[in-house]
Amino acid sequence: MSSLINKYTNLIPYLYFITVSAYWFTVINKQEGIAAYPILLFAIPFLWQIIKPNKKLNFTLGITFVCISSYLIIAFLSDAFKIISLSYINEPLLYGGILIFTNFAMALWIIRNSLKEAI
């Protein structure tokens, strides 16, 4: 039972990023139509990791999204503390912050999984 739970908990970061990609697609698709379909390409590497895991891809995805999330955290904090005005952002600050910090946590989880498999 414990190994089954561990097996499926390792899939949570991938499912999270697939869900975020699907949500982002549906929101943009309502506004832009067919131009939103390239967004679905973001979900392919995460879906691939669920179907056929690859250590190098796993580590690359983790590092990439940690870097992107770190940049977004800096942008979020500068907007929250009014260091730099980002008036073109239409989303509420609270929801954006939750999404950014969750992205960062999931990316760290992916790196942890890849390092755990490497050892």
Side-chain angles (χ1 to χ4, degrees), residues 26-38:
T26 57
V27 168
I28 300 297
N29 192 28
K30 290 178 186 175
Q31 300 168 356
E32 303 293 327
I34 198 163
Y37 282 93

Side-chain angles (χ1 to χ4, degrees), residues 21 24-26 28-29 32-44:
S21 298
W24 189 27
F25 167 75
T26 57
I28 300 297
N29 192 28
E32 303 293 327
I34 198 163
Y37 282 93
I39 293 171
L40 292 176
L41 296 175
F42 288 119
I44 291 173

Side-chain angles (χ1 to χ4, degrees), residues 16-17 65 68-70 72-78 80-81 93-109:
Y16 169 79
F17 282 113
F65 280 89
I68 292 171
S69 297
S70 299
L72 290 174
I73 288 171
I74 292 170
F76 170 75
L77 291 175
S78 69
F81 295 127
L93 192 61
L94 176 66
Y95 296 132
I98 291 171
L99 180 69
I100 290 168
F101 286 108
T102 307
N103 284 347
F104 186 72
M106 292 298 156
L108 287 176
W109 196 345

Side-chain angles (χ1 to χ4, degrees), residues 3-119:
S3 64
L4 184 66
I5 292 172
N6 286 337
K7 178 182 176 182
Y8 288 115
T9 55
N10 288 339
L11 299 179
I12 290 174
Y14 311 115
L15 294 173
Y16 169 79
F17 282 113
I18 290 170
T19 305
V20 168
S21 298
Y23 175 75
W24 189 27
F25 167 75
T26 57
V27 168
I28 300 297
N29 192 28
K30 290 178 186 175
Q31 300 168 356
E32 303 293 327
I34 198 163
Y37 282 93
I39 293 171
L40 292 176
L41 296 175
F42 288 119
I44 291 173
F46 298 105
L47 187 61
W48 186 259
Q49 280 300 104
I50 291 173
I51 296 169
K52 188 175 180 183
N54 182 338
K55 291 179 185 178
K56 290 181 182 179
L57 177 62
N58 193 35
F59 191 71
T60 303
L61 285 172
I63 292 294
T64 301
F65 280 89
V66 162
C67 293
I68 292 171
S69 297
S70 299
Y71 171 74
L72 290 174
I73 288 171
I74 292 170
F76 170 75
L77 291 175
S78 69
D79 190 39
F81 295 127
K82 305 290 184 219
I83 297 171
I84 300 172
S85 177
L86 299 175
S87 60
Y88 58 86
I89 296 177
N90 295 331
E91 297 179 351
L93 192 61
L94 176 66
Y95 296 132
I98 291 171
L99 180 69
I100 290 168
F101 286 108
T102 307
N103 284 347
F104 186 72
M106 292 298 156
L108 287 176
W109 196 345
I110 289 173
I111 291 174
R112 188 187 126 243
N113 288 345
S114 66
L115 291 177
K116 189 167 64 172
E117 292 171 3
I119 296 176

